[in-house]
Amino acid sequence: MTALATTVSDAVIDRLCSAVGPKGFILDPDLMAPYLLDERGMYRGKTPVVLRPASTAEVAEIVRICAETGTPIVPQGGNTGLCGAATPYEDGRAVLMSLTRMNRVREVDPLNYTITVEAGVILADVQAEAAKADRLFPLSLGGEGSARIGGNLSTNAGGTGVLKYGNARDLVLGVEVVLPDGRVLDLLCGLRKDNTGYDLKQLFIGAEGTLGIITACVLKTFPRPGDVQTAFCAVASPAASVELLSRARTLSDDRVITFEWIGSTAYDFGMRHIPGLRRPLVNDYDHYVLIELAAGSAASGLRETMEAVLADGVENGLVLDAAIAESTAQAKAFWKIRETLPEAQKSEGVSIKHDVSVPISRIAEFIDVASAKLTARVPGIRVCAFGHIGDGNLHFNVSQPAGGDGAAFQALHHDINRIVHDTVVGMRGSISAEHGIGRLKREELQHYKSPVALDVMRALKAALDPKGIMNPGKVL
Amino acid sequence: MTALATTVSDAVIDRLCSAVGPKGFILDPDLMAPYLLDERGMYRGKTPVVLRPASTAEVAEIVRICAETGTPIVPQGGNTGLCGAATPYEDGRAVLMSLTRMNRVREVDPLNYTITVEAGVILADVQAEAAKADRLFPLSLGGEGSARIGGNLSTNAGGTGVLKYGNARDLVLGVEVVLPDGRVLDLLCGLRKDNTGYDLKQLFIGAEGTLGIITACVLKTFPRPGDVQTAFCAVASPAASVELLSRARTLSDDRVITFEWIGSTAYDFGMRHIPGLRRPLVNDYDHYVLIELAAGSAASGLRETMEAVLADGVENGLVLDAAIAESTAQAKAFWKIRETLPEAQKSEGVSIKHDVSVPISRIAEFIDVASAKLTARVPGIRVCAFGHIGDGNLHFNVSQPAGGDGAAFQALHHDINRIVHDTVVGMRGSISAEHGIGRLKREELQHYKSPVALDVMRALKAALDPKGIMNPGKVL
């Protein structure tokens, strides 16, 4: 990060605005405001200008000017990230580049099972374009109505389809990237196999804009499921959940596409605070899972498969009770329980959140150990955990003791983070399973990542962005 | 590649031998010979010593000594690579490091669907270890009885399971790598989700030992199929093959695990030269495909699914005739046709081989265009093409005109490569789909890869291996 400009001069701003034309920049503070507040409201940044290029050439021209003048750039997609990667710092030294105008679908190729889109296409629109060609684009997450695919790739988004289809990085065959010197790295090929040198694309995916700017991508698509079966079950324990998943994978021919675990505290919060939520089961239990199976055609007997999976679970003492959705509306109602958990938790006071993963085989142990340690530290603490247990990924959130002092609880957040993250790392887990690092977890990364891995990351950053203009102060 | 030693001094050899102990090195030229000839017999290299470390610590110690003394290292697994990456140059300046003694299975975790093995474990043994835990490790290729997993990862091996399970890089959750300075980068975690910074592991996978030495890995496993159905079909054309695959994916619930196309010239070569091969179909045709479907359980009606796929193909004019294997022996007989094609081609004189890929949707066009151009250049040339059409990957091999002058044909190999590779690159394809670059395709890579991509590769190489000791003169 040598020789970065301490302020952006008017002359540089003029050059940048000229590069994108009158529709391509925002200088009015009111109009800039929505770009400068992050999704969670943690950071309110400053910038002299929001740039909105409409083409790869414009992105490249902006980056060239910034490289020449040592001007930092913060790239931004739909501004739905959860770790502050897309928000500039408060010093106002960086320009913000919004990719939202780069929103063209460049090609849909059903036979190749690919779709080529620009970085600014909204995730839900990618899904819809694929569906028009009778294909599935399986990346699916809460923010899909406003998240942009370039941001999804830059943060290697996860979501509810990972178990079957992988993370964002697994869904990418090619990318187009503007490098930190303004050159365009065109890796926009739709090949399943290409062993001509290093896998450069993966370097930019999940790099949160610190190594270059993804401007377009070739994504994999899949056959659309003709049938989906959804069940809501009570299970005996987290260990039983994991065992159930393993048996379900085998019994269903690996057709499990969703396997979401919900602890009773989270479930109870939902039932208490979310209007219209209904209990799918007659009794209350300590642990629940939402299971979804998908099959190619409606005639594939998937309902019977789901019944067989659940019957096997009951027989083996894993499943205590279960309901299979009888309609799309009922399936949606089951999903609503899962999707409204973050909202429900808000009504219970101050919460401290962790997006962690461990090997699937250690999930149960993790929940036990971390919960016990937290309770020892903060008697009455409420572990409101849920998440993608099939990926080993939990949203291990904790709420303040009921009726306690929220501010006092908030003041313990360093201690609480340390307890959870120490436990995770002790099991060779990850302190950021799907949300990334951004600004929020930068210090935690320095604390927990191995010094050798950090050194390699720094070496790569220095090699590709020697001037340090790409989203400085994020991730590393 | 500054300051590399021009010869390896006796003092350095002594230090290296001491680092691995008496069982860990070979100095006898006769015993070294098998390590110095590549699989295809194209290159016979020289080295002062073959080192055979038995642990990560020993690998690290060797690399530290080499880094300190500017001694180049050529890492080698099972020595089954097809592009000469694991063979030292003839100048004898590099030491050879064989990873074959690092052959421990470190952990099998069925619940996490992972297996952790050292780099020197034979691929077939990885498969067998997974099977013992009722899991499938799906990487499968001709050389699996002698190829080592570290080499498979370093070359990002493909094979016949890619359509369903991906390339080697898709099967890896974590790696342990000795960096070019001798430090150990421990990324050996078994997580499905980990967004804590750049995806470092992918950089080493497919790098052919030029960025570091993979010493161990955590691999994904899958439920074992309980039923596999194999069919051999005559199809109307390459375009019909691709269309058939697309329909089969949808009709079978995406359970196609193999889809191998065979052109009639290749098929005829097999029937002519391979003893014991039987024609699966009564008549001869211009194009064939070998299809395999897999299901979790034997009770899943997979036979009926295969019949439905083929009936749909006949109805739509894609399939001209088909036979479904009635037994494992018959399935093996179908596979033998596919697997013996390279051997059969040898009997037809000089051949020139290409391992290429294009988007699946352009496979048919590629075969037509490239064949026409080749015939125009060399009348009578015989295109003996076959391969993983479901991945867009063809082994587009050509044989000399029947009865012609082999040497004269061989002399045209530059022209022929240019025709094939120009056509591939014109369709945004790859000149090396699964075999890698090594030494064989280094010049082709310089010719065809974009200058920007080559620059990025060089920058990464310089960042991680500033002394240039890791397998110099390979890939880049």
Side-chain angles (χ1 to χ4, degrees):
Chain A
M1 292 196 214
T2 50
L4 284 189
T6 50
T7 57
V8 189
S9 72
D10 288 348
V12 170
I13 293 172
D14 283 351
R15 283 180 67 190
L16 291 168
C17 293
S18 302
V20 289
K23 288 184 183 166
F25 62 88
I26 304 173
L27 294 168
D28 178 336
D30 289 344
L31 297 177
M32 287 202 283
Y35 297 88
L36 296 173
L37 180 67
D38 84 295
E39 169 80 11
R40 280 182 168 166
M42 299 178 293
Y43 307 114
R44 189 181 300 274
K46 271 185 71 177
T47 187
V49 61
V50 170
L51 296 162
R52 302 178 65 238
S55 67
T56 304
E58 287 184 3
V59 174
E61 180 60 17
I62 291 170
V63 176
R64 268 193 298 272
I65 295 168
C66 289
E68 185 195 318
T69 57
T71 306
I73 308 171
V74 178
Q76 185 181 91
N79 196 18
T80 60
L82 298 174
C83 295
T87 309
Y89 276 80
E90 296 76 5
D91 59 15
R93 287 169 57 180
V95 300
L96 190 147
M97 185 194 290
S98 166
L99 278 296
T100 47
R101 285 177 74 215
M102 291 204 56
N103 60 358
R104 287 176 307 152
V105 175
R106 291 196 187 165
E107 190 189 13
V108 181
D109 186 342
L111 269 187
N112 197 40
Y113 283 86
T114 50
I115 180 168
T116 305
V117 296
E118 292 183 344
V121 177
I122 290 171
L123 173 53
D125 292 341
V126 180
Q127 297 164 350
E129 283 294 328
K132 274 194 234 164
D134 196 28
R135 294 290 179 262
L136 172 75
F137 180 64
L139 188 67
S140 178
L141 42 87
E144 64 195 26
S146 44
R148 309 275 172 157
I149 191 70
N152 296 142
L153 266 54
S154 292
T155 55
N156 184 29
T160 53
V162 174
L163 184 61
K164 173 77 177 174
Y165 298 101
N167 296 289
R169 72 165 73 256
D170 302 306
L171 302 173
V172 181
L173 292 179
V175 290
E176 178 186 82
V177 175
V178 174
L179 296 172
D181 60 7
R183 288 185 300 172
V184 178
L185 176 62
D186 178 356
L187 304 170
L188 217 50
C189 69
L191 303 176
R192 254 74 186 170
K193 281 180 159 179
D194 177 19
N195 274 350
T196 57
Y198 310 150
D199 187 4
L200 302 179
K201 68 177 178 298
Q202 292 298 351
L203 207 49
F204 300 96
I205 299 170
E208 305 186 33
T210 62
L211 298 178
I213 298 172
I214 296 172
T215 47
C217 53
V218 184
L219 303 168
K220 289 185 200 169
T221 60
F222 296 83
R224 288 179 79 192
D227 191 8
V228 174
Q229 293 287 331
T230 310
F232 196 90
C233 321
V235 286
S237 64
S241 310
V242 172
E243 175 71 18
L244 177 64
L245 169 61
S246 184
R247 300 184 69 90
R249 282 188 72 177
T250 297
L251 289 169
S252 75
D253 204 10
D254 221 0
R255 291 189 283 192
V256 184
I257 59 165
T258 298
F259 199 88
E260 298 282 312
W261 173 80
I262 303 171
S264 62
T265 303
Y267 181 82
D268 293 346
F269 286 1
M271 293 304 154
R272 197 175 304 157
H273 300 292
I274 305 298
L277 274 198
R278 290 218 201 132
R279 284 176 162 70
L281 307 172
V282 177
N283 296 312
D284 285 347
Y285 299 87
D286 288 337
H287 311 277
Y288 303 89
V289 292
L290 177 67
I291 308 178
E292 231 166 33
L293 307 181
S297 84
S300 58
L302 195 66
R303 169 82 186 206
E304 289 70 31
T305 304
M306 179 66 96
E307 286 167 0
V309 164
L310 297 175
D312 171 85
V314 170
E315 207 167 293
N316 287 282
L318 308 172
V319 172
L320 305 178
D321 193 9
I324 302 178
E326 300 293 341
S327 63
T328 309
Q330 203 175 1
K332 276 191 184 163
F334 291 175
W335 269 105
K336 196 177 173 190
I337 297 170
R338 165 67 183 84
E339 285 168 348
T340 54
L341 292 174
E343 193 186 330
Q345 198 183 6
K346 282 185 192 166
S347 307
E348 291 285 339
V350 172
S351 66
I352 297 170
K353 300 187 172 189
H354 309 94
D355 164 42
V356 300
S357 66
V358 293
I360 297 164
S361 49
R362 301 192 74 173
I363 279 269
E365 180 191 357
F366 168 76
I367 294 171
D368 285 350
V369 171
S371 301
K373 284 186 187 169
L374 287 170
T375 302
R377 178 68 184 82
V378 186
I381 195 170
R382 293 171 298 166
V383 175
C384 172
F386 56 92
H388 321 296
I389 201 169
D391 317 315
N393 176 197
L394 289 181
H395 298 299
F396 196 77
N397 301 342
V398 293
S399 284
Q400 63 172 87
D405 176 350
F409 182 71
Q410 180 67 47
L412 297 174
H413 76 275
H414 271 298
D415 277 19
I416 288 171
N417 289 344
R418 195 68 6 130
I419 288 170
V420 173
H421 291 164
D422 279 355
T423 309
V424 162
V425 171
M427 296 180 181
R428 297 193 77 101
S430 170
I431 61 161
S432 186
E434 62 175 8
H435 295 164
I437 300 299
R439 179 172 169 179
L440 181 66
K441 295 191 181 171
R442 203 180 159 206
E443 283 171 29
E444 290 293 273
L445 187 76
Q446 294 295 320
H447 182 80
Y448 286 108
K449 195 92 175 175
S450 88
V452 180
L454 286 170
D455 268 3
V456 174
M457 285 174 59
R458 284 185 210 107
L460 297 175
K461 170 76 175 172
L464 294 180
D465 182 21
K467 293 185 177 173
I469 63 166
M470 290 307 312
N471 213 3
K474 308 294 171 58
V475 184
L476 279 170
Chain B
M1 291 196 219
T2 50
L4 284 189
T6 51
T7 57
V8 189
S9 72
D10 289 347
V12 170
I13 293 172
D14 284 350
R15 284 181 67 191
L16 291 168
C17 293
S18 302
V20 289
K23 288 185 183 166
F25 60 88
I26 304 173
L27 294 168
D28 178 336
D30 288 346
L31 297 177
M32 287 202 284
Y35 296 88
L36 296 172
L37 181 67
D38 85 295
E39 169 80 12
R40 280 182 168 165
M42 299 178 293
Y43 307 113
R44 190 181 299 274
K46 271 183 74 177
T47 187
V49 61
V50 170
L51 297 161
R52 302 177 67 237
S55 67
T56 304
E58 287 184 3
V59 174
E61 180 60 18
I62 292 171
V63 176
R64 268 194 297 272
I65 295 168
C66 288
E68 184 195 319
T69 57
T71 306
I73 308 171
V74 178
Q76 186 181 91
N79 196 19
T80 58
L82 298 173
C83 295
T87 309
Y89 275 80
E90 296 77 5
D91 59 14
R93 289 170 55 182
V95 300
L96 189 146
M97 185 194 290
S98 166
L99 278 295
T100 48
R101 284 177 75 214
M102 290 204 57
N103 59 359
R104 287 177 307 153
V105 175
R106 291 195 188 166
E107 190 189 14
V108 181
D109 186 343
L111 269 187
N112 197 39
Y113 283 86
T114 49
I115 180 168
T116 305
V117 296
E118 292 183 344
V121 178
I122 290 172
L123 173 53
D125 292 341
V126 181
Q127 296 165 351
E129 283 294 328
K132 274 194 233 166
D134 196 27
R135 295 289 178 262
L136 172 75
F137 179 64
L139 188 67
S140 177
L141 42 85
E144 64 195 25
S146 44
R148 309 274 173 158
I149 192 69
N152 295 143
L153 266 53
S154 292
T155 55
N156 184 28
T160 53
V162 175
L163 183 60
K164 174 75 177 174
Y165 298 101
N167 297 288
R169 73 165 72 255
D170 301 307
L171 302 173
V172 182
L173 292 180
V175 290
E176 177 188 82
V177 176
V178 174
L179 295 173
D181 60 7
R183 287 185 300 171
V184 178
L185 176 62
D186 179 355
L187 305 170
L188 217 50
C189 69
L191 303 176
R192 255 72 187 172
K193 281 180 159 180
D194 178 18
N195 275 350
T196 57
Y198 309 152
D199 187 4
L200 301 179
K201 68 177 179 298
Q202 293 298 351
L203 207 48
F204 301 96
I205 299 170
E208 305 186 34
T210 62
L211 298 178
I213 298 173
I214 296 172
T215 48
C217 53
V218 184
L219 303 167
K220 288 184 202 169
T221 61
F222 296 83
R224 289 179 78 192
D227 191 9
V228 174
Q229 293 288 331
T230 310
F232 196 91
C233 321
V235 287
S237 64
S241 310
V242 172
E243 175 71 18
L244 177 64
L245 170 61
S246 185
R247 299 183 70 90
R249 283 187 72 176
T250 297
L251 288 169
S252 76
D253 204 11
D254 221 0
R255 290 190 283 193
V256 184
I257 59 164
T258 299
F259 200 88
E260 298 282 313
W261 173 80
I262 303 172
S264 61
T265 302
Y267 181 83
D268 293 345
F269 285 3
M271 293 303 154
R272 198 176 303 157
H273 299 294
I274 304 298
L277 274 199
R278 291 218 200 129
R279 285 175 160 71
L281 306 172
V282 177
N283 296 313
D284 286 346
Y285 299 87
D286 288 337
H287 311 277
Y288 304 89
V289 292
L290 178 67
I291 308 179
E292 232 166 35
L293 307 182
S297 83
S300 59
L302 196 66
R303 169 81 186 206
E304 290 69 33
T305 304
M306 179 66 95
E307 285 167 1
V309 164
L310 298 176
D312 172 85
V314 170
E315 207 167 292
N316 287 282
L318 307 172
V319 172
L320 306 177
D321 194 8
I324 302 178
E326 300 293 341
S327 64
T328 309
Q330 203 174 0
K332 276 191 183 164
F334 291 175
W335 268 104
K336 196 178 174 190
I337 298 170
R338 166 66 184 82
E339 285 169 348
T340 54
L341 292 174
E343 193 187 329
Q345 198 183 6
K346 282 186 190 165
S347 307
E348 292 284 338
V350 172
S351 66
I352 297 169
K353 300 187 171 187
H354 309 95
D355 164 42
V356 299
S357 66
V358 293
I360 298 164
S361 48
R362 302 192 74 173
I363 279 269
E365 179 191 358
F366 168 76
I367 294 172
D368 285 350
V369 171
S371 301
K373 283 186 189 170
L374 287 170
T375 302
R377 178 68 183 81
V378 186
I381 195 170
R382 293 171 298 167
V383 175
C384 172
F386 57 93
H388 321 297
I389 201 169
D391 316 315
N393 176 199
L394 289 181
H395 297 298
F396 196 76
N397 301 341
V398 294
S399 284
Q400 62 172 90
D405 176 349
F409 182 72
Q410 181 65 49
L412 298 173
H413 76 275
H414 270 298
D415 276 20
I416 288 171
N417 288 344
R418 196 67 7 130
I419 288 169
V420 173
H421 291 164
D422 278 356
T423 309
V424 163
V425 172
M427 295 180 181
R428 296 194 78 101
S430 170
I431 62 161
S432 185
E434 62 174 9
H435 294 164
I437 299 298
R439 179 173 170 179
L440 181 67
K441 294 190 180 172
R442 202 180 161 208
E443 284 172 28
E444 291 294 272
L445 187 76
Q446 294 295 322
H447 182 81
Y448 286 107
K449 195 91 174 175
S450 87
V452 179
L454 285 170
D455 268 4
V456 174
M457 285 174 59
R458 284 186 211 108
L460 297 175
K461 170 77 174 172
L464 294 179
D465 182 22
K467 294 184 177 174
I469 64 166
M470 290 308 312
N471 213 2
K474 308 293 170 57
V475 184
L476 278 170

